[in-house]
């Protein structure tokens, strides 16, 4: 049952974030087209397609990770944001903790896209002997705050639950970095 729960959370996270990102871009395209900005609307549709292609690749990676029991964490983080700093050895992180780090980063990137469009996003992962610390930061919006897909509002709740299951904590909110701390990992 625990393994089924883990797999269900993983599939939910991959599909939920992917579909939210695609819906966000398509909602923005509709709003832009309605305001007579057809060129920008077309760009949003192209971005939605790119997200769909990326999402299929991410789904394949998630399925592979579930089968193999090992997650290529560094590569996965870099796929979410190019600005990643890692100190220590990410290879020493156990699979469930690596999933939590990855999903927390994904939630933070999704939240930045919704609430600070165009903002630069950076992630810092510290792999220490007593645990893992992740800080995801986004700058201010650089694009117009268009229409965006409404989420369930449960993304941060789910991330906090994931962290708590591993004896960790997650701090996040409007104007705050996403901070994940997992103790005694690896």
């Amino acid at each position: 049952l625990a393994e089924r729960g883990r797999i269900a959370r993983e599939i939910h996270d991959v599909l939920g974030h992917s579909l939210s990102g695609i819906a966000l871009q398509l909602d923005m395209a509709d709003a832009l087209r309605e305001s007579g900005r057809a060129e920008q609307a077309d760009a949003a549709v192209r971005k939605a397609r790119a997200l769909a292609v990326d999402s299929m690749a991410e789904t394949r990676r998630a399925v592979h990770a579930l089968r193999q029991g090992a997650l290529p964490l560094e590569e996965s983080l870099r796929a979410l944001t190019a600005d990643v700093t890692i100190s220590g050895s990410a290879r020493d992180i156990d699979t469930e903790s690596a999933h939590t780090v990855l999903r927390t980063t994904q939630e933070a990137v999704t939240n930045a896209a919704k609430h600070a469009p165009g903002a630069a996003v950076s992630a810092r992962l510290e792999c220490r002997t007593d645990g893992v610390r992740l800080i995801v930061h986004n700058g201010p919006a650089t694009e117009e705050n268009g229409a965006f897909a409404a989420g369930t509002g449960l993304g941060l709740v789910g991330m906090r639950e994931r962290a708590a299951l591993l004896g960790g904590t997650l701090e996040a909110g409007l104007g705050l970095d996403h901070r994940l701390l997992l103790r005694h990992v690896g």
Side-chain angles (χ1 to χ4, degrees):
L1 287 177
E3 182 65 7
R4 278 183 167 180
R6 183 178 76 83
I7 292 169
R9 280 192 310 274
E10 185 67 19
I11 292 170
H12 172 268
D13 289 347
V14 169
L15 293 177
H17 284 97
S18 300
L19 295 174
S20 292
I22 292 166
L24 170 77
Q25 290 301 312
L26 293 174
D27 286 349
M28 187 181 313
D30 283 343
L32 290 167
R33 195 165 306 284
E34 286 177 10
S35 67
R37 296 159 53 188
E39 198 171 300
Q40 290 172 313
D42 291 343
V45 170
R46 285 190 298 276
K47 188 168 184 177
R49 184 188 185 291
L51 285 170
V53 170
D54 290 345
S55 297
M56 288 185 292
E58 185 175 337
T59 301
R60 281 191 293 275
R61 280 193 301 269
V63 169
H64 181 275
L66 288 170
R67 287 184 182 152
Q68 298 299 315
L71 184 67
L73 183 58
E74 293 181 47
E75 292 174 37
S76 297
L77 289 173
R78 291 189 201 302
L80 292 171
T81 179
D83 187 359
V84 176
T85 304
I86 299 175
S87 62
S89 177
R91 287 179 225 153
D92 295 337
I93 301 173
D94 66 87
T95 303
E96 188 66 18
S97 297
H99 278 76
T100 300
V101 166
L102 182 61
R103 294 300 163 231
T104 299
T105 305
Q106 190 172 38
E107 178 69 20
V109 170
T110 299
N111 288 344
K114 285 182 179 180
H115 303 294
V121 178
S122 64
R124 185 172 76 231
L125 178 63
E126 301 169 4
C127 307
R128 306 180 300 199
T129 56
D130 67 336
V132 175
R133 182 177 182 202
L134 171 73
I135 298 174
V136 182
H137 174 79
N138 65 270
T142 61
E143 297 175 5
E144 190 174 310
N145 199 5
F148 59 84
T152 62
L154 298 176
L156 290 176
V157 171
M159 294 300 101
R160 284 187 179 101
E161 288 173 356
R162 268 184 186 261
L165 285 172
L166 297 173
T169 59
L170 173 75
E171 296 175 14
L174 190 59
L176 298 175
D177 293 339
H178 287 68
R179 296 175 185 266
L180 173 69
L181 179 60
L182 301 176
R183 298 242 180 248
H184 309 295
V185 188

